[in-house]
Amino acid sequence: MAAAEELEEHLQELRSKATELFLREEWNASIEAYSLIITLCTQTLSHNSHPTQNLRRSLCIALCNRAEAKSKLKNFHCALQDCDHALELDATHSKTLLCKGKILLCLNRYSSALECFRSAAIDGNAENASGYLERCKSLELLSKTGCLDLSDWVSNGFKGKVPELAEHIGAVEIRKSEISGRGLFATKNIDAGALILVTKAIAMERSIIMGGVQDLCEDAQLAMWKNFIDKVFEVVGKCYKTKGLITRLSCGENEDELEVLDVGLFRPESVEKDDGDAVVGVDMVKLVGILDVNSLTEDAVSANVLTRGNDCYGVGLWLLPSFVNHSCVPNARRLHVGDYLVVHASKDLKAGEEVTFAYFDPLCGLSKRKEMSVNWGIHCKCKRCRFEGEVFSKQEIREIEIGLERGMDVGGVVFKLEEQMKRMKVRGKEKGYLRASFWEAYSEAYRSERAMKRWGRRIPTMEAVVDSISDVVGGDHRLLKMMVEELKKNGGGVVEREKVFKMARDVFGKVVKKQAMKTLLELCIGD
């Protein structure tokens, strides 16, 4: 009896210390303190053929509290193990059920989290569980349907917290790509603006800048990159599933030999078997190579960042978007909302068509794109590059290009190009390719009163050129801005406004209602 009292007194001292550390948010120290309690309780239970209910309860609570402390450090895998151990002792322990539900919610495993919150509500924690239940139901619905609506946040000028999004994988699969290695392919027809996927960054690093990434000195960029690598390394070391998925990404070598993965592996609810080597089995050299090939920046030409001001530059790793290859005639764009990446179609996709981004500016000439291709370590073989490879070798087109470089009147450049396309019988999409390559001249001409006074009646209308270019490169914010400027300058009827809204959906995706889209255009385009 004295020994039992002495044990209970010792446990009480340990509990008080662990609780104090937890309340002070000293997570590592509190984990050590709870581990002492767990060890003591486990050893006592193993030597006691008639364990008391209090001892089992003490072990259950210690496991639950240690799980919560581990979750604060984002060590979710180990935290779940503690929760499962605690629930083996008491399957109806409401605090543990609530803790496990919150951890599963952080992992975007909505269905499993929902079961925990429902059980917690039944087993006496209804007040605390109710809020999580509603939140989880909403996220599960978004995850299943992809019905994302940011209208309220956008209409409010991006004020307040960034909306909580849910992981969503649309009608896509991973297949071998003719472009390079593996790619992401549509499994059904996808309309322009429709969501393709929503996914949260494995890790992100951001830096405050005043102008653009060019304002970041080399040392600052290197420091930012190092911090980013360290964050990914930490996440990989804590989760065997994340480690397994990241190590299957391309590192830029032997692309044709890479395994074609089931897209289901990337769904949050999928659970891979622990290989027992999550922490020590990370090859840093390989990891850096993978990040060099697959990390994405927020300032990419095919991206929009929804935020107040543009004073942040971020780099992150998102798993499924890593499979999206480059094309000079892209069909998808991405929207950055906090740490989430929203990928949507920027023009209509057909079933079986590969989803592509523009890694570099599609509104520039072939020579500039080739230069950028070298920097990216890729060799673009898209229809546009093949066509322009032939056309730009012709003396007439080369002379127009040289004239633009030497400061020739932009209206004259546009006129000569249009006349040359007529002589060469360039039609349809091929006409859009060349207009996209000479977009700089077109945009300057349409914005110049002098050029339009001289050449306006001899060159195509701005609307015709924008339609032609967007048909081949998809929605682009510069094309949209030109349309918005024209609408403000000359007004327009229902048809013109609908045209602008359609292009806005191609650029930003179908994430806001029409009224909020007006606000979005003012915030991101119309200034």
Side-chain angles (χ1 to χ4, degrees), residues 6-20:
E6 186 177 327
L7 173 63
E8 181 56 37
E9 187 177 330
H10 185 39
L11 282 172
Q12 186 57 44
E13 289 176 3
L14 290 175
R15 281 195 291 266
S16 297
K17 180 182 178 182
T19 301
E20 181 183 347

Side-chain angles (χ1 to χ4, degrees), residues 11 38 87 98 120 158 235 240 254-255 261 329 370 447 473:
L11 282 172
I38 291 165
L87 291 172
L98 194 63
F158 307 133
V235 172
Y240 57 88
N254 304 317
E255 293 279 342
L261 303 175
V329 283
K370 281 186 174 180
R447 286 190 170 101
V473 302

Side-chain angles (χ1 to χ4, degrees), residues 208-217 221 299 310-313:
I208 304 296
I209 54 176
M210 297 308 295
V213 66
Q214 67 275 3
D215 290 346
L216 278 177
C217 67
Q221 290 187 50
D299 68 332
N310 294 310
D311 55 352
C312 277
Y313 169 74

Side-chain angles (χ1 to χ4, degrees), residues 22 28 60 121 157 186 242 291 296 335 353 386-387 404 419 431 433 441 515:
F22 188 94
N28 284 313
C60 183
T242 303
L291 294 180
L296 299 173
L335 196 66
E353 187 175 352
R386 293 199 301 270
F387 167 74
L404 180 61
E419 289 299 303
K431 188 179 285 189
Y433 296 158
Q515 188 59 42

